[in-house]
Amino acid sequence: THHNRLARTGITPMTPTTALTLLDHALTTHHPTPTATQWNLSGVRARVNAGEDVPVLLRGLVRATRRSAAVSATPAADDAGLRERIGTMTPEAARQALGDLVATQMASVLALPSAAEVKVNRTFREAGFDSLTSVELRNRLSGALGTKLAATVVFDHPTPRQLTEHIHELLAATATPAAAPAIAAAPAVAGHGEPADDDSIALVAMACRYPGGVASPEELWNLVAGGIDAMAEFPTDRGWDMDALFRGTGVGSSTTRYGGFVAGVDRFDPGFFGISPREALAMDPQQRILLETAWETIERAGIDATTLRGSA
């Protein structure tokens, strides 16, 4: 999949010998951001002439032929026609047409034999999409429909069926004039004509991680109510070189042997969140904690987290 995507952008594979030679050259150059890439500019030029979108950095490398303007005008006409045709269909037929469009574009991005290979209830991640191919799919759908889609649309609607439903709702909303929002009157204070200034806040649920072994709101309350000092010596189970840590005063050393440390950062369950173990190791520990506490907050609120998929 990655090779196919790179080939479509005009990048061709290079041999290890060529790559290492370019790496050696990059280490000795005075340019701040060298990039070692082997280009197939004829492929890039073909995309430009076909009216396809080309990354900004590549547009200055090739020059389109004179007929590119006529060619590039054709998709725009088709885009408007497709959107108009969907607008005249029944909801069921519109969903089918949009589903076929999503499947076709997915097959093109992933270089699948046909759209029939697409499973509508299989997540994009399981199908092989990453952040770059997800944006490419979004760009293709936006171009095909002539409608701007959010850059995160594939992540917000993680299956082809959900994405199809979202696009259908989006097109229906743009075709139907929005009703004026209803304005609710503020409740009046008893005995007065002025509305009540109600700024009350309802705390429904929370989750947290803090130094001192705090892993729940109850433990946080006990720590605060008990006046417990959460500062402690540097933990010895983090794999840090303690001798080097306290030996000097430069970068990478510490002048104190105490601090606030969150426990359990190594007990993150990546599989629960659909994250590979290798990706979890590269993640910022704060991001892992955010995932855990967000899920715990939803659970404590008595909400089935799976029902929130695709919502705001």
Side-chain angles (χ1 to χ4, degrees), residues 217-237:
E218 293 82 4
E219 292 175 349
L220 175 60
W221 175 253
N222 291 335
L223 181 135
V224 175
I228 300 173
D229 185 0
M231 297 299 102
E233 291 188 1
F234 275 63
T236 58
D237 59 349

Side-chain angles (χ1 to χ4, degrees), residues 74-120:
T74 304
D78 292 340
D79 298 343
L82 174 60
R83 193 167 64 252
E84 290 177 359
R85 290 197 303 273
I86 291 176
T88 61
M89 297 177 182
T90 64
E92 292 74 16
R95 288 187 178 91
Q96 181 62 47
L98 289 172
D100 293 342
L101 174 65
V102 170
T104 299
Q105 297 299 339
M106 285 182 61
S108 179
V109 171
L110 296 177
L112 299 176
S114 69
E117 301 289 327
V118 175
K119 307 300 181 183
V120 296

Side-chain angles (χ1 to χ4, degrees), residues 155-176:
F155 294 99
D156 296 336
H157 309 278
T159 68
R161 185 184 298 278
Q162 291 174 327
L163 180 57
T164 298
E165 185 63 29
H166 167 71
I167 296 175
H168 180 259
E169 293 176 355
L170 185 64
L171 295 180
T174 56
T176 304

